């Protein structure tokens, strides 16, 4: 690291759990973020500020006035701009050293495979069930750790599926891809603005812990937050032997 980097990341370097070696791992890391909205925006900003070397943003949407209530990387001036471009502008304004790859597209199982393979950690900041399962399947195939978050109305959840470990559950162990669930969207049900900031920031924290290899992650643990009372509930997760996605892992 040069002098400017030593100064910029000094508060991380001071931490015994991170130090010089941990920060160097962060600088060398590649992170994939699917979704540049409520969850992806704070996650991307914190990962950029922490110095993650290369961050790939994937989102096919554009900034809308209704997004600005909670999607903190975007601004009024950037309404109509692609979310990946708007979010990248905010990230680079904080840390111009970060390389931000922008993909304005909706991910598919086929397009996800090379993106996940190239990443050290994957963040699922998407907003629909099909995409979540596509991301999970790609992470299972590539054995890459997945940090998944979601928030709707006043409820939120976050978990880590560390698929590098043979006994770790995947997302489909908990939420069956064959379940006939009714999609819930912020556009129809609403969402409490700070809630996505809480979960997105936690996703960034878990990603950094995975990259720098310290602390206890949320692997095999699901945290659920009730925003009405700000009470957390933790559920231990176990691998499902008959899981249709990861049983052959």
């Amino acid at each position: 690291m040069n002098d400017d980097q030593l100064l910029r990341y000094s508060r991380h370097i001071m931490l015994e759990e991170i130090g010089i070696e941990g920060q160097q791992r962060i600088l060398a890391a590649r992170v994939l973020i699917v979704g540049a909205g409520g969850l992806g925006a704070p996650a991307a900003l914190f990962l950029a500020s922490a110095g993650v070397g290369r961050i790939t943003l994937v989102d096919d949407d554009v900034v809308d006035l209704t997004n600005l209530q909670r999607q903190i990387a975007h601004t009024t001036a950037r309404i109509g701009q692609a979310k990946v471009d708007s979010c990248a502008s905010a990230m680079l304004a904080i840390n111009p050293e970060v390389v931000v790859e922008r993909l304005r597209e909706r991910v598919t199982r086929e397009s996800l495979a090379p993106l996940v393979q190239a990443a050290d950690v994957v963040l699922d900041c998407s907003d629909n069930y099909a995409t979540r399962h596509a991301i999970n399947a790609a992470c299972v195939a590539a054995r890459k750790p997945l940090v998944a978050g979601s928030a709707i109305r006043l409820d939120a959840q976050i978990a880590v599926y560390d698929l590098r470990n043979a006994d770790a559950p995947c997302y489909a162990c908990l939420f069956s891809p064959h379940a006939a669930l009714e999609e819930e969207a912020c556009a129809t049900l609403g969402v409490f603005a700070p809630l996505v900031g809480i979960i997105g920031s936690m996703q960034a924290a878990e990603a950094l812990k995975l990259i720098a290899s310290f602390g206890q992650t949320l692997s095999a643990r699901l945290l659920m937050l009730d925003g009405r009372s700000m009470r957390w509930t933790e559920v231990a997760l176990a691998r499902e032997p008959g899981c249709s996605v990861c049983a052959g892992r």
Side-chain angles (χ1 to χ4, degrees):
M1 281 184 278
N2 58 40
D3 289 345
D4 285 344
Q5 289 175 319
L6 289 169
L7 186 59
R8 179 186 287 271
Y9 307 119
S10 60
R11 282 9 179 218
H12 265 178
I13 294 169
M14 290 176 184
L15 297 175
E16 181 181 349
E17 292 83 354
I18 299 179
I20 289 283
E21 291 185 1
Q23 185 60 46
Q24 287 176 326
R25 284 195 290 269
I26 292 169
L27 292 171
R30 299 174 64 110
V31 172
L32 171 64
I33 303 176
V34 181
L39 300 173
L45 293 180
F46 272 114
L47 291 176
S49 68
V52 170
R54 180 178 291 270
I55 300 172
T56 301
L57 292 175
V58 188
D59 197 306
D60 68 339
D61 204 0
V62 299
V63 179
D64 182 83
L65 181 60
T66 60
N67 301 149
L68 303 185
Q69 163 254 11
R70 65 199 177 281
Q71 299 182 18
I72 59 171
H74 310 306
T75 66
T76 302
R78 296 202 288 269
I79 288 175
Q81 190 175 121
K83 284 187 179 179
V84 291
D85 292 334
S86 173
C87 193
S89 295
M91 295 161 68
L92 293 170
I94 296 172
N95 191 349
E97 293 185 348
V98 175
V99 176
V100 184
E101 182 181 4
R102 315 164 201 187
L103 298 176
R104 185 181 175 185
E105 61 184 56
R106 180 172 288 274
V107 294
T108 63
R109 288 183 181 270
E110 294 72 24
S111 67
L112 274 167
L115 296 174
V116 170
Q117 186 63 51
D120 296 305
V121 180
V122 178
L123 272 64
D124 178 1
C125 301
S126 64
D127 62 358
N128 68 87
Y129 201 56
T131 300
R132 293 188 186 110
H133 277 289
I135 296 168
N136 176 69
C139 289
V140 169
R143 297 200 172 193
K144 295 299 176 77
L146 169 62
V147 185
S150 64
I152 193 74
R153 290 181 287 203
L154 285 145
D155 300 293
Q157 62 184 34
I158 179 174
V160 170
Y161 304 93
D162 194 346
L163 300 162
R164 299 171 299 180
N165 300 329
D167 59 348
C170 79
Y171 181 83
C173 290
L174 182 61
F175 302 103
S176 170
H178 309 297
L181 297 182
E182 184 177 345
E183 289 283 2
E184 296 183 329
C186 299
T188 54
L189 297 175
V191 62
F192 185 44
L195 207 58
V196 292
I198 293 169
I199 300 300
S201 299
M202 291 181 68
Q203 286 182 270
E206 291 300 297
L208 291 171
K209 286 160 62 181
L210 287 162
I211 291 165
S213 299
F214 75 90
Q216 180 183 4
T217 70
L218 287 173
S219 180
R221 298 157 58 203
L222 176 70
L223 287 185
M224 296 178 289
L225 175 61
D226 181 344
R228 302 161 190 81
S229 61
M230 284 299 170
R231 293 184 185 276
W232 290 95
T233 301
E234 179 173 327
V235 178
L237 306 179
R239 187 172 176 191
E240 174 56 53
C243 176
S244 61
V245 177
C246 75
R249 184 165 100 246

